[in-house]
Amino acid sequence: MLTYSFENIDTESMYEHLYRCIKQDILQKKLKSGEKLPSKRTFAKNLGVSTITVESAYAQLVAEGYLYTLPKRGYYVCELEKGEAPAQPRPKPVLPRQQPRPTYWADFVSSSVARDMFPFSIWVKLLRDVTAREDETTLLTDTSAGGIRQLRQAISEHLYQFRGMTIDPEQIVVGAGTEYLYSVLIQLLGRNHGYAVEDPGYLRLSKIYEKNDVRTYHIPMDASGIQPDLLEESGAEILHITPSHHFPTGIVMPVSRRYEFLSWASKGENRYIIEDDYDCEFRLAGRPIPTLQSIDVMEKVIYINTFSKSLAPAFRISYLVLPKHLVTRFYDTLGFYSGTVSCLEQMTLARFLSEGYFEKHINRMRNHYRGLRDQFLGAIQKSPLARRVKISEENAGLHFLMELDTQRSDKEILQRAEAEGLRLSFVSQYYFRQEERQAHVLVMNYSGLEEGRITEAVARLCRAILPAPEEPGL
Amino acid sequence: MLTYSFENIDTESMYEHLYRCIKQDILQKKLKSGEKLPSKRTFAKNLGVSTITVESAYAQLVAEGYLYTLPKRGYYVCELEKGEAPAQPRPKPVLPRQQPRPTYWADFVSSSVARDMFPFSIWVKLLRDVTAREDETTLLTDTSAGGIRQLRQAISEHLYQFRGMTIDPEQIVVGAGTEYLYSVLIQLLGRNHGYAVEDPGYLRLSKIYEKNDVRTYHIPMDASGIQPDLLEESGAEILHITPSHHFPTGIVMPVSRRYEFLSWASKGENRYIIEDDYDCEFRLAGRPIPTLQSIDVMEKVIYINTFSKSLAPAFRISYLVLPKHLVTRFYDTLGFYSGTVSCLEQMTLARFLSEGYFEKHINRMRNHYRGLRDQFLGAIQKSPLARRVKISEENAGLHFLMELDTQRSDKEILQRAEAEGLRLSFVSQYYFRQEERQAHVLVMNYSGLEEGRITEAVARLCRAILPAPEEPGL
């Protein structure tokens, strides 16, 4: 009769050990398909273990499909047809580590956040309050597709105070980042329409549309934004734009162009405008630019914004504001989805907004960035760069444009900058249509620059951009 | 000359007031397109305000496109062509509130979580620790597409301890819920392949595939799972299954069927198996069933699981385990995406896992559910229901099946249950193909049942299901 040793079974329980021994014998065909196993009682006696041990091991093998039972007759080995078990345990796969992004001495491309700027202690305090005061069942189980009521209410009040938008909290859909919300919009509006995006523009956006198998049109811009006649020609039905602050050129779309697009949208049932208001919080001078959404009376504008820019990139909370009729469509067709942001985090953010911490935080950040920009621009003005650069668009968002008077190619400057530990990008890199590229205009995102490094950063920029003494011709 | 009153300007600043007045006059055509505005100095003197006030108002109107400047000549009104401003401020949209889900006295359909089971105080403590100890820059800016390293490491260790899976943390992709990760998989594997799902099965899954414009095949099951010949016939290339615990039937796929599917997958380059291990933590007796992933030597199995079941639905953290070659493809094609779970929450969960709290939590939940199930089944056995029901699949997951010996239609029972405040569902409701439906089998999800309500719940079930005294024929 079948027998196994129960010595050296370490931390395994008796039944687990027996289960593993029998399973191995089945896999190695020592126990053949159809073979009858000893009865529980006999086997237990023979092995010197309890009947329950054998019973548990058999039950597990039945559950996993290695044994089957015939009532009143006993346990038999299943046929493991059509396929072989691997003879050896699999080696642990070893993959190359994903390379962490290279670090630069100063990075003028990525949006980053000044250290120590985020009020973690307030966030943790609010979170603790939330766990202590809010209904636990809600905190554990609210997965509403549109987001929790408290957060939508708080966002709606924030938009009224800060953007002059009067919207119903029901129009808001909260999601884990704008990239995710783009895919929600594609499901809501339809994958078959053409989507028009700005060229130059945010290249990641057209990549997302591409990965979602959506036809994308890159529409050239003039000084006011996308050109309406080229949009009309393209046949696109969804227009995705950044009217308050175009990336990378910084263009603010004038009101006349806005009305043209609203008029364009009203001419087709499936036409919609996605208004991407990605960094409106960081207009550093003057009033915020009013949104397209707030002058839309035809229910054609979908507003999208994120807290990833205003809190920090690692917070993944963004939102849509849908026109009324699309709210109904959203709940009819996509309302079955669970939300994508944890309820705890939504509730904490709701408090952060409604108790005034967000406004304070934004004001503090804006002051910080204004100071940073002024110091940085001041240092550039006092440096030899001053005569070789023209700076524009410095009041909006967290970047400005710096046009270079240089004989060097953009590529050469990028390489020289990299040798200085600087990460730079040119407007030309954000064009989809190569032939339109404008050379020599740097996009300077200064949000991650440390104050203590400003002087040295300008010196490095000089070395990367200006002609060396021995290159008088440049 | 143009003049405005500066009385009653409330909380507005002087320049905001002036800006608003001029803008209104432009919108109402009191100021006509092309008209020249007074020079800043003259206007300021006339209004009795400072030049800076006028300058700021003009600058804002230029930024928004209501005015333009001609160097050394002054400010002019833009043409607001092709479109009219709305004459009236928009009324605030009023939408019907989304109906909150109806509440039941006892809900045997939704997964819910026992109150007070989640260790909030530990979670908050860990979160505070994380904000105090971890590098702030990482916490604020890590948005890796696959999730943060610490969490992937912790998940990999958990899978080894709990599921016997040896995987590299690089194979793990963290995302905000399985629903979101399904859409990632579609982007990774391709929208053009057919996707096969179980029938009966989790209907929400095929709805998600449908919304993502993917062809879906509902493949009938036999007692071991999806029928391999019907799968082959369908032409589907991606097979989405729940081998450890099928919903709603509770079937555990025997090892022979598993090998058949692995063999099927190995026969086509684009064939893959998505192994949905949605509630493996809650097998209440015996060892966990080994995963399909752990016997896959051909890199054909993608494993998916979620913390929304094991922590609480309102935590939106799930993950994929990709085979090696798909890891490369993921980073090549989708690595540009930002992660969808906040870094703070990922870091906290990593600690929760690696410091043993998760295991404790799961054990505590499992004990709780085991006790709940035993009491509930005990109460049913002692009730008049005992002679009219057959119970099965009670060791796996958080539901069991209850087959009714009844003359009533399923529909009638649902209505009678609803009148008793009970939410029930039948296996028949989870079939895509109507003709295959099996009648009279209830799917009893007991996870949200309160202990104090068990006796009364059974009494209500009796009234809903059993014939009333005056209905002897039933």
Side-chain angles (χ1 to χ4, degrees), chain B residues 96-129:
Chain B
R97 299 281 81 94
Q98 286 304 315
Q99 291 304 318
R101 291 181 192 161
T103 52
Y104 294 87
W105 185 83
D107 182 345
F108 294 101
V109 178
S110 304
S111 276
S112 69
V113 173
R115 269 167 217 266
D116 307 327
M117 289 299 285
F118 186 77
F120 272 122
S121 58
I122 289 170
W123 190 266
V124 175
K125 178 183 96 67
L126 291 175
L127 186 118
R128 169 195 301 271
D129 261 28

Side-chain angles (χ1 to χ4, degrees), chain B residues 65-105:
Chain B
Y66 290 95
L67 299 182
Y68 62 95
T69 52
L70 294 177
K72 309 211 173 153
R73 291 184 47 198
Y75 291 83
Y76 296 83
V77 177
C78 292
E79 188 181 1
L80 305 188
E81 55 190 345
K82 298 177 193 162
E84 281 297 310
Q88 293 291 321
R90 293 193 312 162
K92 182 158 176 153
V94 177
L95 284 163
R97 299 281 81 94
Q98 286 304 315
Q99 291 304 318
R101 291 181 192 161
T103 52
Y104 294 87
W105 185 83

